[in-house]
Structure formats: C-alpha cells, structure tokens
Amino acid sequence: MENILPFSGLYFFIIIFSYIAFLYIFKNILKTFIPYKTLLFISIISYILLCMPDFYEVLIFLLYVYAVYWIFVSNKYHETLFPMIIIALPMILVKLDINPMFKVIGISYITFRTIQAVLDSYNYGKLSFIEFTTFILFPTTLLAGPIDRSYRFQEDLKKGYDNLTLVNIGKGWDILIVGVLFKFIFAEFVNRFWLSGIDEHSTAILDMINSAYAYTVYLFFDFAGYSAMAVGISIMMGINVPMNFNHPYLAPNPQDFWRRFHITLGTWLTDYFFKPLYKYLHNFEFLKGRRLLIQNLAIISTFLLMGMWNGFTWYFIFSGFLFGIYSAIHNIYVVYVKKGGFDYFTIFPEIISINLKRFLMINGAVLALYFFSGRVPI
C-alpha cells in the first residue's frame, strides 16, 4: 500500500476522517465491548503496519523504548540522567549518522515523550504497554509534535468515548481549518512566490536579508499550520493535545517568545532539562552565591540542547546558541532593572516601548532562524 504519512496529502485526510466518522457513528456499540484505549491502540498499530515506511524499524524502536521505560519505572529508579541517556542513545546515533537501524520517523519526538513518561512516572504512575504505545506513536503528533504529557494523555484515554462529542468536532474543525490554511495555502504561497525565488548561495546582503525573512515567515506558517492540524484532528478524536503556537512574533522578549513559539518543546526543556541542571549547578563550590551566572549557564546549555535535538550540524547548534545568548542577555537586563538599574525602554511611551521590544525580538529571531534554516552562504 502507498505510504501515507501524517498530513502528507489527501490520502491521509481520507483515512483519518473515515476513522473519525467510524468512531462517532459506532461509538455506542463500540463502548459495550472494547475500551477506547484498546481500540485506539489497535488502530495505531494497524496504521503503522499499513501506511508507514519501514514499519519494522518503528516497532523495533517501540520495543526498545518500552523495555527501557519498564525497567526504570518498575525498579523505581530515581536518578534522571542515566535513563535519559539510555533512552536518547538511538536518537544520538541517528543524528551522528552512526547507526541506520533506528532511523525512525519522528524519533526526536518519541525520545522526548519517553523521557517525560519515565521521569513523571514517580508522581503520576506508570503507563500500561497499550497506553505507552498509543501515547508515543499517536499519529497526529508523531512526526513534528506537539509534545504532549503522558499523564494528560492518559486522562483522555480514561475518558474514552465520552470525549467523542459534537462540541469537540466543532472545536477541532475550527483549529484544523486554520492549520490547513497556514500550511497548505500560506506556507505554500510564501515558498512558491518568495522563498524559492531567492538564491540562497548569494552573499549579497539584500539577498541574505530577504532569505532570512522569507524563511522565517515560511517556517511559521508551515510549522504552526502542521501543529494546528495535529491539535484539531486530535481533539476530534477525543485527545486534547496542547496548542504549540500563540502569536510568537508579538513577543517582546526571548522568555515570552518561547512561551509562544513551539510551546511544548519550550516547556519540556524547562521542566526536564533547565530546572534539573539549574539545581545541579548549585553543587559546584565556585558557583555558589552566583545565582545569575548559574541561571545563564543553564539557559545557554538548554538552548544548545535544543539545537542539538534538531541535529548535530553546526547551523542547528549555532541557532540554539544564539537563542541562548538572547535569553541570557534578557535575564541579565531583568535582574539589573530589579536591582534598581535604569530601564532604558521607559524613555519611550508604552506603545512605542512594547513595539520597540517586539522589533528587537523578531529581528533576533529572524537571525537565529536564518542560521537554523541552513541557508546561510558560509
């Protein structure tokens, strides 16, 4: 059968809408003899087997991450770094292009979801094999997120058929339409009539500026569109996946930007890397009493990880480094003002001040995302 990846084209939408129609038409019959999570599990495995390329690699990787999950959770292993490394090892090998065995579609998202499930098992309990598989291989979020939380996903599985309502159909449809417009209309328009017409190898300043802005606009519509479609379809299936974008280019500072841009990745990195690292750095004698330095080291390290999560090529890492530097500078400035330093933005009226901050932030983001694109002629 022809490979049908999530949101790759018309055939995927035909399959997913047919499945949603099946759920709603027969839900009263289905609920009498099969739990919702079991039905979803069977459906996902069937989709993987029939529609995904190299499905055997996906299933092998599933067994690997579940085995690691089961071992650590069953033994109540409380250290965090070791299980994180073991879970992330296949992803690291793939990004280093060392081991082709685990070249699994969506491996980065599967890895982060598995790490989260392990670390949060102490507070929220463990997942069954059916729940674990359904969570990490859920098709709408498999390739590019959003990165859901296992305990929230598990609650929706428990609610099951009760979440299959006309209200959720309407809510999901509204979000889906926005996603379709963003990804298949706006992103395609930008790519066809703006981005693709730029010579990315040109070293002319105007061409580079044009390329940077074109890519930033394209990335937003493409990625935000994909995320919105994933959220919309998921809600229609009774799974309330969190939103991933919220007007990021209106953010006045780096901290607010990452509360709006790829939100689920930002919150994941904050909860499972930044906070533990920040706490760990306090153990070093030469850093004691240097709270601001510790914060900035943790911030920059977090954004370097974000860059490496996308890939080990220099432009991904440097892009993450730039975002880390932005955040560290903003953090230093905030602390400076809190300690009585002069806030230079107060020179201007509020409306000018907020838009000046937005101007600085969006142009900083454009520069970092330009490097992220790999289009910089270096």
Side-chain angles (χ1 to χ4, degrees):
M1 185 176 179
E2 182 181 353
N3 295 331
I4 307 172
L5 296 176
F7 306 110
S8 61
L10 181 60
Y11 288 117
F12 173 78
F13 285 99
I14 291 174
I15 288 176
I16 202 71
F17 282 130
S18 298
Y19 181 68
I20 291 171
F22 167 76
L23 288 177
Y24 278 83
I25 292 171
F26 297 106
K27 70 175 183 178
N28 290 327
I29 299 174
L30 291 168
K31 69 170 57 174
T32 62
F33 68 90
I34 183 171
Y36 180 72
K37 66 180 181 181
T38 304
L39 175 63
L40 202 54
F41 168 79
I42 294 172
S43 303
I44 289 172
I45 294 298
S46 299
Y47 172 77
I48 296 293
L49 292 174
L50 295 174
C51 302
M52 296 287 286
D54 301 326
F55 65 86
Y56 57 91
E57 293 182 357
V58 177
L59 296 181
I60 290 172
F61 186 59
L62 164 66
L63 295 176
Y64 171 81
V65 292
Y66 181 72
V68 176
Y69 171 82
W70 185 86
I71 290 170
F72 283 106
V73 172
S74 297
N75 289 281
K76 298 181 179 179
Y77 192 84
H78 289 287
E79 294 294 330
T80 59
L81 182 60
F82 185 54
M84 288 175 73
I85 292 174
I86 296 299
I87 294 167
L89 183 60
M91 179 185 73
I92 294 171
L93 293 175
V94 167
K95 293 185 183 299
L96 289 173
D97 203 24
I98 293 176
N99 190 341
M101 176 181 177
F102 287 121
K103 285 193 174 179
V104 175
I105 291 174
I107 189 171
S108 298
Y109 288 90
I110 292 174
T111 298
F112 270 25
R113 280 193 286 266
T114 303
I115 290 173
Q116 178 272 315
V118 169
L119 300 185
D120 281 340
S121 63
Y122 313 123
N123 295 323
Y124 297 98
K126 63 181 180 180
L127 305 172
S128 68
F129 178 72
I130 287 178
E131 292 170 333
F132 179 86
T133 302
T134 306
F135 170 61
I136 69 165
L137 296 183
F138 192 57
T140 62
T141 61
L142 178 61
L143 301 188
I147 305 174
D148 204 352
R149 301 295 172 97
S150 58
Y151 50 85
R152 198 221 56 75
F153 190 91
Q154 189 179 38
E155 286 300 312
D156 280 343
L157 290 181
K158 290 177 181 177
K159 293 175 184 176
Y161 296 103
D162 291 339
N163 274 358
L164 299 177
T165 65
L166 292 179
V167 171
N168 279 342
I169 283 283
K171 180 181 177 182
W173 178 260
D174 289 343
I175 298 172
L176 173 65
I177 292 301
V178 172
V180 169
L181 286 172
F182 274 26
K183 183 170 178 63
F184 295 118
I185 305 298
F186 298 158
E188 181 62 25
F189 183 87
V190 170
N191 183 50
R192 182 173 300 184
F193 298 106
W194 187 5
L195 184 62
S196 62
I198 301 170
D199 179 8
E200 64 182 271
H201 302 293
S202 172
T203 56
I205 295 298
L206 289 180
D207 287 339
M208 294 172 68
I209 293 173
N210 194 25
S211 183
Y213 278 93
Y215 179 79
T216 299
V217 175
Y218 167 76
L219 177 67
F220 170 74
F221 283 125
D222 183 72
F223 195 13
Y226 183 101
S227 295
M229 290 191 297
V231 171
I233 290 290
S234 299
I235 291 174
M236 295 168 77
M237 295 171 63
I239 305 295
N240 292 287
V241 171
M243 293 295 291
N244 215 20
F245 287 83
N246 180 24
H247 306 95
Y249 298 125
L250 294 180
N253 57 65
Q255 185 180 39
D256 191 44
F257 180 82
W258 288 102
R259 289 173 179 163
R260 297 166 174 266
F261 186 94
H262 208 342
I263 299 168
T264 58
L265 175 60
T267 56
W268 193 100
L269 288 169
T270 298
D271 292 343
Y272 304 107
F273 187 80
F274 172 80
K275 289 180 180 178
L277 179 60
Y278 176 72
K279 182 178 179 181
Y280 173 73
L281 289 175
H282 279 83
N283 295 324
F284 291 91
E285 189 66 33
F286 72 94
L287 290 176
K288 287 187 176 179
R290 301 180 177 181
R291 182 179 176 184
L292 181 60
L293 176 59
I294 292 174
Q295 286 178 343
N296 290 333
L297 287 174
I299 286 170
I300 293 173
S301 298
T302 300
F303 279 101
L304 283 172
L305 174 63
M306 182 188 71
M308 289 185 285
W309 179 74
N310 286 292
F312 289 150
T313 49
W314 73 269
Y315 45 82
F316 287 140
I317 297 172
F318 186 69
S319 175
F321 176 72
L322 277 180
F323 276 118
I325 292 297
Y326 299 160
S327 296
I329 292 173
H330 172 255
N331 189 42
I332 292 170
Y333 186 76
V334 168
V335 172
Y336 163 77
V337 172
K338 283 183 178 179
K339 290 184 176 180
F342 181 70
D343 185 356
Y344 294 94
F345 290 99
T346 59
I347 295 173
F348 308 99
E350 180 63 24
I351 187 64
I352 295 177
S353 175
I354 189 67
N355 283 294
L356 177 58
K357 292 177 183 178
R358 287 169 174 166
F359 175 81
L360 293 173
M361 184 61 242
I362 193 172
N363 282 281
V366 166
L367 177 62
L369 292 174
Y370 182 38
F371 280 99
F372 177 86
S373 72
R375 295 170 61 91
V376 179
I378 295 178

